Structure formats: C-alpha cells, structure tokens
C-alpha cells in the first residue's frame, strides 16, 4: 500500500517492529531509485527528543548490516549549531527530528530547495498529536510542506482506538490506508496484594513498600511508574531506605537536568540500572526491550495510558507483558479493578481531538513569513488543508493575521511598528531581527515559571518558581532523590546544598495531575453500582465497602449519590455534603466552585470544598433544603462565565497563550547571558485587555481553551444532563466511608504546614476512622 | 480609596493603596516612576503589548485628583519610559495629561528615563530636587539630606499566602526616608531584600504592601 503511494497508518503493538516497519518502504524506495544525492529523502518526526536518537540507533543496525549507504542523523534542540549548519549544507538522507525542530526547518528561506526531493514523512506516536497544540503546529507544517512538494505520510502508533480520527489527522482523510496488527498476547495484570490495610485516603504506597521492593528483587529490570514527580521523589527515597540488597534504583522525571535524564536512560539500556522510578517522562516510545516488569503505583487514570505504560515491558511479540498495579487508597483499588478489566477486554478510550488553536496559528504565520512572503488567500487555503484547522473561518484567520502584523488592536494601532509589511498583495517580515526571536521562542509547551536548581557547581534541573518562593533559606526539600537545603535565589537560579536533615518538603509539581478518563470513570461507576461484594476484595477493602452499605449506600448505575451529615469541629457544628460524580478532578473543581456560589445564593455560608477524581466535599454553616437546585443544569449558563472571569486559572491560561502566540517573548537575544528576564506580568495584560479591547482575538482564544481544558465543558454538561432527576440523597448521622477520603483531605489543609508530617497525618486518619466507626 | 496615615519628619502624610503619597496640609501629591508608554516601547522588540498602560495610569491619577484637593504634584522621576513616549502617546492620553499640567502646578524631579529635551515647554517644572519644610523630594535618594523621599527602585515585597509567594509593590518607610512604589501600570520591581534597597534602610523600617486596592502595614526589624 505504501508502494502505491497512499498515506498509511501503521498500528501495531509495541514490540511489533512498527518503527522499523515504518521505515521499510522508505529504505526500499531509497535503494530501488538509486538515491545517491545528498538530499533529504525521509523525515521522521517524534514527540520525544529521546526517541529520535533511539530510532536512529535501531535503524542504523539493519542499514549497516545491509551495507546500504544511507546517512541517518538527528536534529533536535540538543543538536549543536555546527552540526545543524552542516546538515543544511550536506543534508542527511534520513532526518530524525521533533515538531519544533521541523517547524524551524520550515521557517528557512531555502525550504523549497531543501525538501525538493523529499519522499516520506514518518510521524511516530501519532495518537499524541490529535489533542495537543504540538499536534496543531505539526499539522500546519506538514500541510505547508505538502503544498511545496507532495510526499507520502506514514503514521505510527501502538495504541489507537479511533482509526478514523487518525486518518483524518494524517492527511485530511484523503485515501489513507490502515495497517493493523493485533497478534500480541494480552498482558498479565495483577493488583498487588499487601497484607496491610489499604489506606482510605492519601496517595502514598507506603503501606505496600516492602511488597513493592520484593517484586523488584524478583526481576532483572523494572520500571515503577507514578503519577506525579512528587510521588516519584518520595517513592525513590523510601525504596533506598530499605534497599538492603543494593538493587540499582534510579529516578527519572521531566524536571531533572537533561544530562541526568540521559545518563539514566543510557544506564537502563546498558543494564546498569535495574529499577527506575519514573513519571510520564518515560511513557513514550524508547525501545529498551529488556524491561521485565512494569508497576503502576497509584491510579491508572486512563486505559490507553495504562496500556502504553504496560507496553514498556517485554518488547517481544509472543510473550505477555507483565504488570502489577499498586493502588494507594480504596478508591484507587476499585479504579485498578476497572482498568484491569478494560485492558483485558481491550476496551480503550476514544482519542479526543481539538480544533486548531489560534495561538499556534499565530506562531505558525510568523514562521511562514520568515520563510517566504505570502498572499493572504493562499495562506488561508493552505492552513485549511491542515485537518485541525479545516473549520477555520475567514474572520478568525484575519484577526489572527492582524494580531501577527501588529497586535491587532482596534482602538489604537501599532501600524508604524508592525511585524509584517505589505507589498501589494504580499505580506513579508519588516526586518530580520524577528528571525532570532522566532527561533528562540518556538514551541507550544509553556511550563510554569521555572528556576534552574544549582547545587555546588552542578545543575540538577528545573524547579517551579512558586515552590521556591514558598521556601525560606534553611528549608529542606527533596529533588532528584537528593536532600537539599535551600539557600537563595539569584536571577533565575535557585541555590541549594546537600543536607542530611530530615523533614523535607517535596516539590508538589503541578501538571502531573491527569484527570480520570471518562471511559474509566464509567467502568468504576459500574463496579460500584453492582456492589463490591461481587468482586474479590482484600479484607480492608471489604470493611470499607460494608461500612458504606451499612450506613449509606453505593450509587446505582444511573444514580447520583449525595450524602449529607454534620460534625462537631471543636465548638463549631459544621454541615457537610459529599457528592460522588466520578468525573475526574478538573470537572469536580469547576463544579465545586459553581456549587459554592449557589450555596451562597441560598443564603447559607459556605466554608469551602475539596475535590478529587471521584468526589467533592462541601462544608457550610447550616442545612441545605434544596439540593436539586444546586445541581440544576442552568448552572452552566448563569454561573459558569461569571466564575471563569474571576478564577486565577484563566490568567495562567492567558499567560500560556500570550507566549505561544508571540504577544510576549520569553527569550530575547542577550537576556540569557545576563539572566535578566524581560517578562511582562501577563495578569496585568489580561486585565487591561479585557477592559479596553474585550473582543481581542487572544481573549477569544483564552475562552475557547478554558471551555475545553479548564472546565471540560462537554463533560460537565453531559454529567448534569445524566443526573437530572436521578439524585439520591442519603442523610447520615456520620461521615460515610466514601466521604472519608475527602474529609481527611479537608482537615489536612487546615493545620499548620509544619505539623504536616507523617505522624500527624496518621493520627488524623485514625481519629477520623474512629469517628466513622471503622476500627 | 484605602490609605494609611504615617508621620514622617513630624508631618502627617498618607500612603494610598494605588501608590500615591499625599501631604494633606500642603495639598500636595507625590507619585513616582510612571513610565509613560512602557507598553508601546516594546514594539521595538516586536512585542505588541496592549497599548493602554498610559491611559490606565492617567485615569487613576485623574481619579485621585477629582477626589482630593491637589494644588501641587511632584513627579519623582521616570515620568516617561523613553524619549519617544510622547510621540507614541494617544490623543486621549495626551489630552488627559495636558489637562492636569494646565490646572495643577506640576514639577518633575528628573529621573534616568526622562529625556529633558522632550519634556521642555510642556508646562512642567524640571528640577533635580524639591525641598519643602526640610524634606527633600528627588528621583534618587538624597543621602546628604536628613529627610529624603525618592523613587527609582520600584520596591516590591513577597507576601506568602497559602504557602505561595506573591509579589506586590510597596512603600518603604523609616525615620529619615520614604521609598515610593512605581505608579506606572506595567512597571516591574526590585525586591526590598536586594542589596541596593537594603543599604538604604539599615535601621528599623516598615513596609506598606499594596494588594488588591488595599494597603497594609508590616514592621520589619533587622
């Protein structure tokens, strides 16, 4: 099929040789056509820098064996300027690159000449691009390259449910073929059975630590996946504390300095590291082949995600991958049962996609302008060829273009100083200084304000500015498995030194908190509705389930369970309402804020709420009669927009959009040396824009992004529709087992931070447990 | 408008939540570091920040003038961000600013951003410093004077709220000195813990953070 010139999606499980398979037609074409010149023949694009070198290595083996003269090189942000320049003079035949480095190539003025003999573009981990701004950027550049020179696209993916979506994304649905293999043996998944009591709350695997350790000992090599970087740090440290067999355990997460990560990756390949504690930084791709065991510590959150992670083990096609799930609390145990079931039935989530974001489009337009002058109509047509932008209307396009030109302000124009100049029908850049700024600021991933962490004369990695800002000199914390004492911040560098002191804070990095997938949440609800007795449960969980049945109930499949109870807190009597939508943290956060507003409207003083993936717990001053009113569907019309305008989350989103769209540049030439940051306070910009230019395109993008990412509006409205007339209210005289976990969270937040050590938490849990009558 | 009264050099002054220093007995308003047209300045580096900072600053100023008796304004330097600021200023901003200059006695103690040749003949008295009742007002600290009120540093302070640090602008006060916050809309700042500010306030001092239209008072001892 590939030979016939179709675009092809190669869908095969990890270990199915799909990466090499994806290159075969390209190698074939190279040999058959006696391709000799020094020109780009095949572009391989991967979401991970690490994958490019890995695939290069795997590809060079057969190429060297077959003694074919193909030059294979990588080009990422790690490639030296010298090598990059060399690659332009004498292009390698196969180039392994990332969406960002590809975009930079596309912004070159010699782009037409550079790719005039290009035959193939291979996109790896295709599914990661459907719903991301990186995917938008990639689609725009692929569409543009296609308008310059036709070529075949090959998409590779190991987990793909919605193959139609993949076809559309890849080539706007024109004649894409699918090659799918499903011969792989189903993975063997078990849930770790620890004799100890599974906690009712929290996210600590400490109760099962010795079992986790003994599993590690059984296998030559293992990956322990956790959900957040904070969990990675804690687990890593706890494992070393009991590591009397001196197993070589390492840690890997995205905040660690590049060199440290590379070192760990290399050591895994060479077998020097036997066990690695990792976050999603190791989710994708790397073909190691030698991993015997994958453990998922904490909630799996999504089926496809779990499959991807399990796939890291045992890259051979005929033997099953082995995976052990380690839930850290009772809810997670049920989630693990649900996830295991879904994996066994190969019941994966549908991939979601998003409409092309206009901030990415703005960035792209600058890239195009740098490369070539363009006519408005031509560009519009070309952009619509990129599938995420197929619905782009002319008004939004023109507004985005005008924003790129000079900010797009209607009340006061920056015409004299504009970025683009018009020459008849053509648009072109005003001066070349733009090129450097574009290159220095390309990309769609905007991290929180980061400081580089320096210990002695080494850099350990990047750490969130807000975390450091909460520390005083002398405070201790863990990073990269090291105990550190904070000293000072100078410019954008945080200084710390190694310490032996206990009582660390753990940077609780944001962004590691994926919400429970809709799909998995449905299965969890199903398991709860059928009563847990049907499932084989460990004793501590049976107790939990019995208590819930005895004092309250489990929600039936289409029921929405609301529990109310009151508690004496010191002298004060507080009313509580625990609700269990199982719709994931993001949705619950939004719903929580909206309900809080409604409670106020009822004339009741709310004290606050806490939310997790499963439930929301509210507390307030007196009993609420009209609970149905709280959850009526019009909450989305009346209250949502009011809330959106005042939440600080939207300002964080605006900052991301301001940076991606090029309103402000994070990096400017000359600033990196001095460490001086010329970053504007985007909160101020957001406020002034709303006041003076409420219809500005950046505000529109912010609202659109917020509806999807911040609020998950679709999910919220589906939920409110689902529960209409199905609210079951249980009035209780004590907290229920289901409400317990959040009650714990709620009270954990009240005490002084310094008291928050493990002793305090255990004491709190025991006190609450007694109250719920569980011991 | 939220404010706090302070006694400085035996006189009563008020610190206002937007960063105004008001001297009631003299009907005098002191504001510092307005940095007109800082937003539009960045077109130079192809950044098209919403160009509404000057109008925001001027509206805030007009609002103060309309609500308090003001016979004299001292701008403590860095009125404009760069020498072409007036050329980029909108008609609306110019109108507002020149109305103030026409009706009120205005003095600018020249700062490092102020290019004198672009500030001449617009109804603004230009000088290095103004001394009233033994208190010296200037852009930079007047170290040789007993009482000095100055700007230049854009002091800001980190407040820790819910274990997170939030930076806000502030007044810094001790017996001899007042350091003014920047009055401009887009202006950044320098931590009060930085060496430059520390060496000016070596004895006991107080800071007055400006947060959410309110002004607070914190005493710091070294």
């Amino acid at each position: 099929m590939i030979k016939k010139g179709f675009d092809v999606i190669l869908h095969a499980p990890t270990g199915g040789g799909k990466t090499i398979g994806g290159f075969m037609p390209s190698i074939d074409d190279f040999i058959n056509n006696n391709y000799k010149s020094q020109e780009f023949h095949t572009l391989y694009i991967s979401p991970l820098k690490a994958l490019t070198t890995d695939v290069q290595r795997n590809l060079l083996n057969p190429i060297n064996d077959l003694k074919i003269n193909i030059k294979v090189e990588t080009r990422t942000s790690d490639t030296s300027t010298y090598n990059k320049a060399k690659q332009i003079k004498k292009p390698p035949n196969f180039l392994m690159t990332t969406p960002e480095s590809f975009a930079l190539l596309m912004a070159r003025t010699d782009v037409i000449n550079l790719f005039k003999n290009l035959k193939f573009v291979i996109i790896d981990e295709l599914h990661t691009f459907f719903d991301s701004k990186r995917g938008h950027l990639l689609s725009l550049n692929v569409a543009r390259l296609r308008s310059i020179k036709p070529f075949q696209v090959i998409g590779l993916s190991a987990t793909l449910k919605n193959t139609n979506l993949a076809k559309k994304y890849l080539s706007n649905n024109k004649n894409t073929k699918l090659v799918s293999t499903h011969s792989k043996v189903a993975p063997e998944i078990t849930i770790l059975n620890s004799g100890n009591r599974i906690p009712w709350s929290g996210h600590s695997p400490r109760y099962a630590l010795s079992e986790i350790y003994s599993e590690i000992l059984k296998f030559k090599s293992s990956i322990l996946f956790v959900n957040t970087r904070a969990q990675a740090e804690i687990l890593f440290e706890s494992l070393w504390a009991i590591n009397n067999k001196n197993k070589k355990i390492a840690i890997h997460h995205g905040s660690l300095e590049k060199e440290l990560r590379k070192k760990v990756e290399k050591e895994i390949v060479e077998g020097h590291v036997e066990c690695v504690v990792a976050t999603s930084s190791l989710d994708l791709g790397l073909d190691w082949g030698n991993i015997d065991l994958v453990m998922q510590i904490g909630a799996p959150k999504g089926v496809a995600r779990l499959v991807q992670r399990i796939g890291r083990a045992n890259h051979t096609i005929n033997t099953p991958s082995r995976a052990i799930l380690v839930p850290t609390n009772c809810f997670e145990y049920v989630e693990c049962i649900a996830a295991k079931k879904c994996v066994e039935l190969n019941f994966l989530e549908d991939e979601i996609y998003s409409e092309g974001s206009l901030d990415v489009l703005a960035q792209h337009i600058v890239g195009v302008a740098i490369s070539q002058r363009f006519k408005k109509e031509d560009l519009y047509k070309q952009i619509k060829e990129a599938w995420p932008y197929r619905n782009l209307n002319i008004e939004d396009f023109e507004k985005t273009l005008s924003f790129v030109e000079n900010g797009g302000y209607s009340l006061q124009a920056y015409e004299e100083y504009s970025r683009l100049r018009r020459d008849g029908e053509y648009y072109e850049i005003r001066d070349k200084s733009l090129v450097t700024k574009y290159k220095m600021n390309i990309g769609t991933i905007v991290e929180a304000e980061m400081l580089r962490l320096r210990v002695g004369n080494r850099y350990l990695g990047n750490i969130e500015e807000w975390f450091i800002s909460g520390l005083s000199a002398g405070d201790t914390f863990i990073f990269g498995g090291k105990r550190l004492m904070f000293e000072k911040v100078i410019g954008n560098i945080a200084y710390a030194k190694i310490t032996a002191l206990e009582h660390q804070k753990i940077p609780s990095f944001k962004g590691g908190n994926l919400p429970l997938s809709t799909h998995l949440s449905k299965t969890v609800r199903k398991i709860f509705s059928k009563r847990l007795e049907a499932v084989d449960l460990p004793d501590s969980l049976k107790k939990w389930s019995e208590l819930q049945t005895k004092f309250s109930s489990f929600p039936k499949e289409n029921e929405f369970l609301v529990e109310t109870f009151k508690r004496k807190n010191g002298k004060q009597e507080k009313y509580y309402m625990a609700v269990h939508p199982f719709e994931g943290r993001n949705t619950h956060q939004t719903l929580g804020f909206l309900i809080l507003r409604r409670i106020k409207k009822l004339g009741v003083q709310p004290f606050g709420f806490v939310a997790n993936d499963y439930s929301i717990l509210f507390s307030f001053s007196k009993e609420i009669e009209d609970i149905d009113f709280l959850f009526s569907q019009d909450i989305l019309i009346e209250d949502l927009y009011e809330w959106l305008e005042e939440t600080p989350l939207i300002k964080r989103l605006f900052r991301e959009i301001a940076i991606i769209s090029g309103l402000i540049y994070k990096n400017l030439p000359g600033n990196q040396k001095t460490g001086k940051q010329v970053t504007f306070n985007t909160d101020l910009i957001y406020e002034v824009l709303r006041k003076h230019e409420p219809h500005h395109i950046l505000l529109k993008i912010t609202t659109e992004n917020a509806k999807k990412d911040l609020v998950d509006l679709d999910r919220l409205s589906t939920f409110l529709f689902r529960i209409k007339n199905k609210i079951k209210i249980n009035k209780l005289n004590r907290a229920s087992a289901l409400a317990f976990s959040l009650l714990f969270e709620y009270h954990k937040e009240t005490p002084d931070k310094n008291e928050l050590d493990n002793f305090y938490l255990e004491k709190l849990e025991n006190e609450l447990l007694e109250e719920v009558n569980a011991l | 408008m939220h404010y706090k009264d302070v006694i400085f050099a035996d006189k009563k002054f008020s610190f206002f939540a937007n960063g105004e220093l008001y001297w009631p007995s003299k009907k005098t308003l002191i504001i510092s570091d307005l940095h007109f047209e800082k937003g539009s300045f960045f077109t130079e580096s192809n950044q098209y920040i919403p160009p509404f900072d000057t109008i925001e600053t001027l509206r805030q100023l007009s609002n103060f003038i309309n609500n308090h008796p003001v016979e004299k304004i001292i701008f403590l330097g860095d009125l404009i961000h760069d020498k072409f600021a007036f050329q980029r200023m909108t008609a609306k901003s110019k109108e507002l600013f020149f109305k103030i200059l026409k009706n009120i006695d205005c003095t600018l103690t020249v700062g490092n951003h102020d290019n004198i040749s672009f500030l001449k003949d617009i109804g603004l008295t230009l000088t290095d410093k103004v001394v009233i009742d033994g208190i010296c007002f200037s852009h930079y600290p007047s170290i040789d004077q007993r009482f000095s009120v100055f700007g230049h540093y854009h002091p800001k302070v980190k407040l820790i709220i819910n274990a997170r640090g939030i930076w806000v602008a502030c007044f810094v006060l001790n017996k001899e000195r007042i350091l003014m916050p920047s009055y401009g809309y887009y202006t950044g700042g320098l931590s009060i813990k930085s060496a430059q500010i520390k060496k000016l306030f070596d004895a006991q001092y107080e800071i007055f953070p400006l947060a959410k239209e309110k002004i607070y008072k914190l005493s710091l001892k070294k």
Side-chain angles (χ1 to χ4, degrees):
Chain A
M1 264 179 285
I2 298 178
K3 271 195 178 175
K4 282 182 191 150
F6 291 119
D7 289 343
V8 173
I9 293 163
L10 217 55
H11 177 214
T14 329
K18 79 180 141 49
T19 310
I20 299 303
F23 276 97
M24 284 326 286
S26 161
I27 296 173
D28 193 48
D29 179 83
F30 191 90
I31 300 169
N32 289 341
N33 294 317
N34 254 326
Y35 211 89
K36 274 182 190 139
S37 64
Q38 285 177 332
E39 275 168 331
F40 289 121
H41 175 273
T42 298
L43 271 181
Y44 164 89
I45 298 163
S46 139
L48 276 187
K49 262 189 278 180
L51 260 180
T52 58
T53 40
D54 195 55
V55 169
Q56 181 197 27
R57 193 174 49 228
N58 289 347
L59 199 60
L60 281 175
N61 291 335
I63 286 177
N64 291 340
D65 289 349
L66 295 168
K67 298 208 169 63
I68 321 164
N69 193 18
I70 303 180
K71 202 162 114 196
V72 184
E73 286 180 12
T74 64
R75 185 185 183 95
T76 67
S77 55
D78 294 348
T79 311
S80 69
T81 321
Y82 173 77
N83 279 336
K84 278 183 184 167
K86 218 173 77 183
Q87 282 172 351
I88 299 300
K89 266 187 216 148
K90 294 180 178 174
N93 309 112
F94 287 17
L95 186 72
M96 322 274 144
T97 187
T98 60
E100 290 76 18
S101 294
F102 174 47
L104 287 174
L105 277 174
M106 291 299 295
R108 297 184 57 89
T109 49
D110 54 1
V111 61
I112 295 176
N113 187 47
L114 209 54
F115 291 120
K116 65 174 186 284
N117 279 314
L118 187 76
K119 295 286 191 63
F120 292 93
V121 169
I122 301 172
I123 303 174
D124 205 352
E125 308 285 2
L126 186 64
H127 59 278
T128 62
F129 292 113
F130 304 152
D131 183 34
S132 68
K133 290 190 178 181
R134 286 184 99 191
H136 300 161
L137 183 69
L138 178 61
S139 74
L140 286 167
N141 280 309
V142 170
R144 175 156 175 251
L145 188 51
R146 284 201 139 152
S147 77
I148 294 171
K149 159 84 178 75
F151 51 85
Q152 278 174 265
V153 185
I154 299 167
L156 313 176
S157 180
T159 51
L160 205 54
K161 169 110 184 278
N162 192 343
T163 48
N164 267 335
L165 177 61
K167 286 180 185 173
K168 285 182 203 160
Y169 176 86
L170 203 63
S171 43
N172 224 339
N173 219 12
K174 284 170 199 143
N175 285 326
T176 313
K177 302 291 174 198
L178 178 76
V179 180
S180 196
T181 55
H182 272 300
S183 60
K184 207 186 179 190
V185 189
E188 276 179 24
I189 302 177
T190 49
I191 300 174
L192 186 74
N193 194 1
S194 158
N196 300 326
R197 189 179 73 85
I198 300 167
W200 285 24
S201 56
H203 296 280
S204 165
R206 210 154 38 99
Y207 80 99
L209 196 63
S210 60
E211 287 85 358
I212 294 174
Y213 186 63
S214 46
E215 290 297 335
I216 298 173
L217 290 182
K218 283 186 211 159
F219 296 91
K220 229 183 103 214
S221 61
S222 49
I223 305 182
L224 273 48
F225 278 115
V226 293
N227 291 333
T228 66
R229 285 173 272 183
Q231 282 177 323
E233 294 283 2
I234 298 169
L235 182 62
F236 177 72
E237 160 138 291
S238 330
L239 282 173
W240 269 102
I242 58 166
N243 188 6
N244 46 25
K245 298 271 188 302
N246 265 320
K247 196 86 175 165
K248 287 171 196 120
I249 306 173
I251 183 167
H252 191 284
H253 61 66
S255 289
L256 288 175
E257 198 68 13
K258 192 173 72 196
E259 283 72 34
L260 297 175
R261 269 181 286 154
K262 278 190 163 172
K263 195 174 148 225
V264 172
E265 285 160 21
K266 191 164 162 263
E267 285 176 342
I268 301 169
V269 173
E270 291 165 356
H272 298 311
V273 159
E274 297 160 296
C275 169
V276 59
V277 179
T279 62
S280 53
S281 60
L282 282 188
D283 271 7
L284 291 178
L286 297 188
D287 227 331
W288 289 323
N290 60 344
I291 302 291
D292 306 315
L293 170 73
V294 165
M295 272 196 182
Q296 164 69 32
I297 319 273
K301 306 272 192 180
V303 185
R305 179 165 181 262
L306 183 62
V307 168
Q308 181 99 35
R309 287 185 159 187
I310 293 173
R312 311 311 309 133
N314 193 27
H315 274 192
T316 55
I317 199 120
N318 300 320
T319 46
S321 300
R322 220 173 275 118
I324 300 175
L325 310 183
V326 187
T328 61
N329 60 48
C330 295
F331 273 105
E332 285 188 356
Y333 197 98
V334 180
E335 191 183 318
C336 285
I337 298 173
K340 179 172 160 19
K341 206 171 250 173
C342 289
V343 173
E344 282 160 3
L345 298 171
N346 198 27
F347 188 47
L348 301 182
E349 287 96 0
D350 268 337
E351 288 86 5
I352 36 176
Y353 65 92
S354 48
E355 297 293 325
S357 196
L358 299 181
D359 49 347
V360 179
L361 180 61
Q363 190 184 88
H364 177 70
I365 293 176
V366 177
V368 175
I370 286 172
S371 163
Q372 292 168 293
R373 57 199 221 136
F374 62 84
K375 281 188 199 164
K376 192 162 94 178
E377 294 72 29
D378 297 349
L379 183 64
Y380 179 58
K381 239 171 82 188
Q382 188 193 93
I383 286 164
K384 282 179 67 113
E385 286 298 309
W387 186 77
Y389 293 89
R390 72 207 172 282
N391 295 326
L392 177 70
N393 63 47
I394 186 78
E395 293 80 34
D396 281 349
F397 169 71
E398 281 177 344
K399 273 188 156 184
T400 310
L401 181 59
S402 142
F403 167 78
V404 171
E405 254 189 296
N406 52 35
Y409 304 104
S410 59
L411 293 177
Q412 182 191 354
Y414 275 139
E415 272 156 22
E416 302 159 55
Y417 317 96
S418 67
R419 197 155 21 193
L420 302 183
R421 178 169 60 195
R422 295 196 205 180
D423 177 10
E425 285 186 291
Y426 286 97
Y427 285 75
E428 57 192 19
I429 55 169
R430 186 165 55 98
D431 68 83
K432 286 235 162 74
S433 72
L434 190 59
V435 180
T436 328
K437 284 164 209 149
Y438 171 78
K439 282 185 182 168
M440 289 176 77
N441 290 279
I442 186 134
T444 58
I445 301 161
V446 177
E447 306 231 347
E449 296 277 4
M450 290 287 200
L451 298 175
R452 287 190 83 190
L453 178 63
R454 186 173 168 145
V455 174
N457 47 19
R458 287 181 62 203
Y459 287 104
L460 287 192
N462 298 309
I463 195 157
E464 272 85 349
E465 199 270 341
W466 69 262
F467 174 76
I468 289 289
S469 73
L471 295 181
S472 317
D475 280 356
T476 54
F477 62 101
I478 308 187
F479 189 91
K482 292 187 170 59
R483 294 177 182 190
L484 302 172
M485 181 186 281
F486 173 64
E487 293 179 318
K488 61 189 169 184
V489 173
I490 297 177
N492 52 2
I493 298 169
Y495 291 83
K497 61 181 181 195
I498 304 274
T499 177
L501 288 174
E502 299 277 346
H503 291 295
Q504 301 88 353
K505 296 185 182 187
I506 312 278
S508 56
F509 310 86
K510 303 219 157 148
N513 240 333
L514 273 174
L516 180 68
S517 78
T518 318
H519 189 72
L520 198 49
S521 116
K522 218 187 236 168
T523 317
V524 169
R525 282 206 312 271
K526 220 175 234 168
I527 293 176
F528 273 120
S529 71
K530 282 185 190 148
R531 312 259 307 248
L532 284 168
E533 282 95 279
V535 197
D536 185 26
L537 292 180
D539 288 346
S540 60
L541 228 78
K542 271 189 195 140
K543 176 91 182 163
W544 184 68
S545 135
E546 278 164 22
L547 272 167
Q548 181 64 23
T549 325
K550 189 171 161 200
F551 295 114
S552 181
S553 63
F554 280 106
K556 301 210 174 60
E557 192 164 355
N558 281 317
E559 204 172 69
F560 173 53
L561 179 63
V562 175
E563 300 173 314
T564 61
F565 55 94
K566 61 181 177 186
R567 287 181 75 239
K568 266 217 166 80
N569 200 359
K571 277 182 202 153
Q572 202 183 17
E573 195 150 69
K574 278 188 181 175
Y575 288 81
Y576 293 85
M577 176 172 73
V579 302
H580 309 286
F582 302 106
E583 289 290 351
R585 195 189 202 101
N586 286 1
T587 314
H588 292 171
Q589 284 287 355
T590 311
L591 195 59
F593 279 113
L594 298 182
I595 300 295
L596 218 56
R597 296 176 72 101
R598 290 226 148 165
I599 292 177
K600 269 186 214 158
K601 280 186 186 166
L602 288 173
V604 176
Q605 173 62 40
F607 298 130
F609 77 93
V610 279
N612 60 19
D613 269 337
Y614 317 99
S615 317
I616 318 171
L617 177 78
F618 299 90
S619 88
F620 33 82
S621 59
K622 57 182 186 195
E623 197 157 2
I624 291 176
E625 304 291 335
D626 193 357
I627 286 176
D628 288 288
F629 164 74
L630 294 180
F631 294 93
S632 63
Q633 223 175 346
D634 56 5
I635 201 167
L636 289 184
I637 305 155
E638 275 185 36
D639 303 72
L640 181 71
Y641 287 93
E642 284 173 43
W643 173 71
L644 258 186
E645 290 191 350
E646 60 193 46
T647 171
L649 296 173
I650 200 144
K651 291 185 180 164
R652 207 186 307 158
L653 197 61
F654 179 77
R655 175 175 173 271
E656 177 193 303
I657 288 160
I659 291 171
I660 294 175
S661 65
L663 176 73
I664 55 168
Y665 292 122
K666 261 187 95 177
N667 311 310
L668 283 171
N671 290 332
Q672 281 177 329
K673 271 185 199 156
T674 57
K676 192 179 158 194
Q677 287 178 314
V678 189
T679 45
F680 271 88
N681 183 334
T682 52
D683 292 4
L684 290 177
I685 296 180
Y686 176 74
E687 273 159 20
V688 83
L689 207 50
R690 266 186 50 200
K691 192 165 162 190
H692 291 268
E693 187 113 19
H695 299 295
H696 193 265
I697 189 76
L698 289 194
L699 293 180
K700 183 181 169 164
I701 304 172
T702 309
T703 314
E704 292 299 316
N705 277 213
K707 276 196 227 162
K708 192 177 160 294
D709 297 335
L710 223 52
V711 182
D712 205 342
L713 197 59
D714 289 344
R715 192 164 178 184
L716 195 54
S717 66
T718 313
F719 164 72
L720 290 170
F721 184 74
R722 168 167 75 78
I723 64 162
K724 212 175 156 197
N725 300 325
K726 296 193 181 93
I727 302 183
K728 162 115 198 272
I729 301 167
N730 288 349
K731 290 193 176 182
L732 315 175
N733 52 15
R734 53 159 68 73
S736 71
L738 284 188
F740 180 88
S741 150
L742 279 180
L743 195 59
F744 177 80
E745 292 284 327
Y746 185 79
H747 285 278
K748 197 176 80 176
E749 288 188 355
T750 340
D752 183 70
K753 273 270 176 218
N754 298 327
E755 281 183 64
L756 261 181
D757 53 25
N758 289 328
F759 172 72
Y760 177 82
L761 291 181
E762 265 163 34
K763 196 171 140 236
L764 180 64
E765 169 145 355
N766 285 331
E767 276 170 17
L768 290 172
L769 275 173
E770 250 173 70
E771 192 179 314
V772 187
N773 194 12
L775 288 174
Chain B
M1 266 176 261
H2 195 240
Y3 65 94
K4 287 222 183 300
D5 287 337
V6 296
I7 302 295
F8 179 71
D10 291 329
K11 315 280 187 303
K12 198 185 116 191
F13 285 88
S14 307
F15 289 165
F16 275 79
N18 285 327
E20 299 97 350
L21 172 64
Y22 186 57
W23 192 350
S25 64
K26 305 273 179 198
K27 296 196 173 82
T28 296
L29 169 67
I30 301 106
I31 45 178
S32 185
D33 299 273
L34 279 71
H35 287 264
F36 281 162
E37 293 301 306
K38 182 177 173 181
S40 58
F41 172 74
F42 286 84
T43 50
E44 203 172 75
S45 58
N46 293 113
Q47 300 186 90
Y48 303 92
I49 314 295
F52 313 117
D53 50 331
T54 308
I55 192 80
E56 278 295 305
T57 307
L58 282 166
R59 281 192 185 147
Q60 191 173 291
L61 175 58
S62 306
N63 189 30
F64 188 91
I65 294 167
N66 294 338
N67 287 291
H68 302 84
V70 176
E71 287 173 1
K72 183 177 175 64
I73 300 177
I74 304 172
F75 295 101
L76 277 193
D78 289 0
L79 179 69
I80 50 177
H81 190 72
D82 65 298
K83 61 181 175 181
F84 300 117
F86 281 115
Q87 291 181 20
R88 298 193 306 270
M89 210 188 272
T90 58
K92 182 84 199 155
S93 296
K94 275 185 193 157
E95 190 193 315
L96 257 179
F97 184 56
F98 289 118
K99 197 178 137 200
I100 294 168
L101 288 184
K102 207 176 132 201
N103 296 329
I104 301 176
D105 168 24
C106 291
T107 303
L108 170 68
T109 63
V110 177
N112 49 315
H113 279 253
D114 300 314
N115 190 305
I116 301 174
S117 49
F118 288 83
L119 291 162
K120 272 191 301 197
D121 311 323
I122 57 169
L124 192 61
T125 311
L126 301 176
T127 179
D128 282 346
K129 60 181 187 235
V130 176
V131 182
I132 307 172
D133 290 0
I135 302 173
C136 180
F137 298 88
S138 53
H139 182 62
Y140 295 105
S142 304
I143 306 164
D144 53 338
Q145 306 270 335
R146 172 129 189 248
F147 297 109
S148 170
V149 177
F150 56 96
H152 181 63
Y153 296 101
H154 304 202
K156 61 174 184 176
V157 62
K158 187 171 76 183
L159 303 179
I160 301 205
I161 297 166
N162 293 331
R164 284 193 64 163
I166 295 166
W167 289 98
V168 297
C170 62
F171 287 93
V172 187
L173 167 78
N174 71 4
K175 282 198 174 112
E176 285 90 30
R177 289 173 185 160
I178 293 176
L179 170 53
M180 299 276 298
S182 162
Y183 198 65
Y185 187 80
Y186 281 145
T187 47
L190 185 66
S191 167
I192 56 155
K193 289 190 175 168
S194 63
Q196 295 105 299
I197 295 181
K198 261 183 171 173
K199 72 176 180 204
L200 293 165
F201 291 88
D202 47 3
Q204 188 179 340
Y205 64 96
E206 291 170 335
I207 56 170
F208 293 77
L210 317 177
K212 291 200 168 174
E213 289 165 18
K214 288 210 162 175
I215 180 161
Y216 302 87
K217 178 177 162 180
L218 302 171
S219 295
L220 290 186
K221 281 181 194 172
K222 283 200 186 167

